[in-house]
Amino acid sequence: MENSENTEKLEKIQRFLAICDELVSGSYMIAEGKISEALKSIAGCRELTNLFAAVTDGYDYPAAKRAYLRPRSGSGPAGRVGAYLPSERQDILAFLFCLFVEVDAGTVHLDDLLLRYFYVDGSYTASYAVFAGRMVKPFRDIVRECFPECGKRGQVAVMRKKREEALTSFAQMLPVERSRVMGRDLREEEQQAGEELFSELAAAAARRDVTEVRALLAGYKYFLRYIGAESAESGALFALAQEM
């Protein structure tokens, strides 16, 4: 149960980071939708909710906006560029989170934000690229560093856990499947073939030999068709094999 909860937690954090990746490398056209999706992802993950609750506790966002979003004086469009990040990591998280909330709520319009503080040749696309690189990328990287288990090694660990859980469930289902199939009215040669298949499957599962399990299942599928014993139960067994 604990492994399943940890896997679910990591998947939620990884999904949030994937949305941030899309914000960093994606286009202006999808940005508002992705910001909304990122906030929903935070709300649906206790660990992320706790992180942003901690960094925003007592945070003076209005003062931060005055400090870090400052249209520079001067003539021409270039004079309107002026966006900065706080120096402290937790303040970067708090500042971008609050800014995302304002964009999602419509209090701040993304197109106005881009042309006012990230202006590049009057282009939303180019201005968004500056915003994504200057603001969103550091934000994403800090969150990723807060959850090192969600890096590449963590992703490998999650996949390994999922395969192990699938293999364990498969081994637990085998006796039930054996009782279902071998309880049928089978001819002697069918009985012998079935017993041999189940014996080899159980041994391969016990050895955690996924390659052999899958090879045996290919033969088992034909055996089920031959005796007319395909069912939802056997289908669930084959589905687990795909998750190993």
Side-chain angles (χ1 to χ4, degrees), residues 163-184:
R163 289 195 294 267
E164 282 294 319
E165 289 171 0
L167 189 52
T168 298
S169 297
F170 177 87
Q172 292 171 346
M173 285 179 64
L174 267 180
V176 178
E177 176 72 355
R178 180 188 176 281
S179 296
R180 181 186 74 82
V181 173
M182 302 310 293
R184 295 169 63 89

Side-chain angles (χ1 to χ4, degrees), residues 15 19 22-23 27-41 100 103-104 110 128:
R15 176 56 190 151
I19 296 167
E22 292 170 356
L23 274 168
S27 72
Y28 159 76
M29 297 298 293
I30 67 168
E32 288 187 344
K34 289 299 174 183
I35 287 172
S36 178
E37 195 176 340
L39 293 174
K40 289 176 183 175
S41 183
F100 281 178
V103 170
D104 186 51
L110 184 60
Y128 178 75

Side-chain angles (χ1 to χ4, degrees), residues 4 6 28 59 66 94-95 97 106 155 183 193 199 207 223 233:
S4 178
N6 287 337
Y28 159 76
Y59 185 68
R66 292 191 295 272
F95 182 62
F97 174 78
Q155 292 174 17
S199 176
R207 292 194 303 272
F223 174 73
E233 289 87 349

